[in-house]
């Protein structure tokens, strides 16, 4: 295996958007008479937003309205790089590896986060919610980023924080790394059986250094 690229999930993996997500979700759901706790949110979290609505028994007739409200209630200034995220990306870029992102965030979400994060200097390609006809754990988003970066499944490692990330990657026989985050319960990520599992990005950076130095 000649490693040529690293594909990351975005929310929870590289950036901590949990405070912004839970705040907006609680406020929006409350408008429709649904009250949720942080633990319930984690338990029912999915990269597919419509799965979240479905798991919380929100009627489909409200989904489009919720999508529109999201833009008003989500505070993009709350989204921050996770500790050691920039250090991981800087280290990998110095090795001339291609860096891709597969995310359930929309193009507008990413554009509105960019002024606070400036990810352009690290990320070579994105696949957002609109870019794929099927969401995670279907492998289509991952196939699309591989095509965009001219990489094959045997040339990359995928890093994510949810079982859907790991399941998606395994369908293409891609080496997987799970990283714990506020979004998901540890047992769920463990049950997806990633090739490697780390508690945080400090441990992930040590893994890259042990691998390459």
């Amino acid at each position: 295996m000649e490693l040529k690229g690293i594909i990351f999930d975005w929310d929870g993996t590289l950036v901590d958007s949990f405070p912004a997500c839970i705040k907006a979700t609680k406020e929006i759901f409350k408008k429709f008479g649904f009250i949720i706790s942080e633990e319930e949110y984690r338990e029912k979290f999915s990269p597919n937003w419509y799965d979240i609505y479905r798991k919380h028994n929100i009627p489909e007739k409200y989904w489009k309205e919720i999508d529109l409200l999201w833009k008003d209630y989500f505070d993009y200034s709350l989204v921050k790089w996770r500790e050691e995220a920039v250090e991981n990306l800087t280290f990998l870029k110095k090795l001339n590896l291609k860096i891709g992102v597969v995310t359930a965030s929309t193009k507008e979400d990413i554009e509105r986060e960019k002024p606070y994060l400036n990810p352009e200097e690290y990320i070579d390609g994105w696949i957002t919610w609109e870019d794929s006809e099927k969401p995670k754990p279907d492998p289509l988003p991952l196939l699309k980023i591989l095509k965009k970066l001219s990489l094959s499944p045997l040339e990359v490692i995928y890093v994510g924080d949810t079982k859907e990330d790991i399941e998606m990657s395994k369908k293409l026989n891609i080496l997987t790394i799970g990283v714990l985050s506020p979004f998901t319960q540890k047992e769920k990520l463990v049950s997806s059986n990633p090739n490697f599992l780390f508690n945080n990005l400090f441990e992930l950076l040590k893994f890259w250094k042990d691998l390459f130095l």
Side-chain angles (χ1 to χ4, degrees):
M1 173 185 178
E2 181 182 0
L3 189 63
K4 294 184 178 179
I6 310 295
I7 311 300
F8 287 93
D9 168 59
W10 184 244
D11 294 280
T13 301
L14 285 175
V15 297
D16 182 8
S17 54
F18 184 81
C21 284
I22 188 64
K23 180 175 182 290
T25 301
K26 281 185 172 183
E27 290 174 352
I28 294 170
F29 280 22
K30 190 175 180 179
K31 288 179 68 70
F32 295 90
F34 296 91
I35 307 299
I36 63 168
S37 65
E38 287 192 13
E39 189 55 36
E40 185 182 10
Y41 180 75
R42 288 189 183 93
E43 182 184 344
K44 298 180 179 179
F45 180 78
S46 167
N48 182 341
W49 297 108
Y50 298 133
D51 272 351
I52 294 177
Y53 304 160
R54 191 178 296 112
K55 288 176 181 177
H56 287 281
N57 299 313
I58 295 179
E60 191 170 345
K61 63 182 180 180
Y62 296 131
W63 291 3
K64 290 194 180 298
E65 187 177 352
I66 291 174
D67 285 346
L68 293 173
L69 286 170
W70 187 258
K71 298 177 178 64
D72 297 325
Y73 280 82
F74 192 87
D75 186 350
Y76 292 93
S77 69
L78 293 178
V79 180
K80 310 292 185 184
W81 288 112
R82 283 189 67 176
E83 286 189 85
E84 293 295 298
V86 169
E87 288 80 0
N88 272 266
L89 294 170
T90 300
F91 180 81
L92 295 171
K93 291 299 290 183
K94 286 180 179 177
L95 297 171
N96 293 316
L97 293 170
K98 293 181 180 179
I99 307 295
V101 167
V102 173
T103 177
S105 290
T106 65
K107 279 187 171 66
E108 182 178 352
D109 290 333
I110 298 301
E111 289 303 316
R112 293 178 69 173
E113 290 171 11
K114 279 182 178 180
Y116 303 102
L117 301 169
N118 300 307
E120 302 92 325
E121 58 184 298
Y122 310 110
I123 311 301
D124 298 303
W126 301 79
I127 292 297
T128 61
W129 176 264
E130 302 94 330
D131 293 324
S132 179
E133 296 81 8
K134 296 179 181 179
K136 304 173 185 177
D138 192 277
L140 185 59
L142 196 42
L143 285 168
K144 285 179 174 284
I145 193 64
L146 292 175
K147 182 176 181 181
K148 180 176 278 193
L149 298 179
S150 299
L151 296 170
S152 79
L154 294 176
E155 295 173 328
V156 302
I157 293 174
Y158 186 92
V159 185
D161 69 320
T162 68
K163 68 181 183 64
E164 288 86 353
D165 287 314
I166 305 305
E167 289 170 1
M168 173 181 68
S169 305
K170 284 177 174 284
K171 289 173 182 176
L172 298 180
N173 295 315
I174 289 174
L175 197 68
T176 57
I177 294 177
V179 179
L180 299 182
S181 88
F183 280 99
T184 51
Q185 297 169 316
K186 182 176 182 178
E187 56 268 24
K188 281 191 176 182
L189 189 55
V190 170
S191 70
S192 65
N193 197 28
N195 296 103
F196 300 93
L197 179 65
F198 300 117
N199 291 303
N200 50 53
L201 298 184
F202 291 91
E203 292 181 1
L204 180 61
L205 181 58
K206 183 179 184 302
F207 171 80
W208 299 132
K209 290 182 176 179
D210 289 344
L211 185 64
F212 293 110
L213 297 182

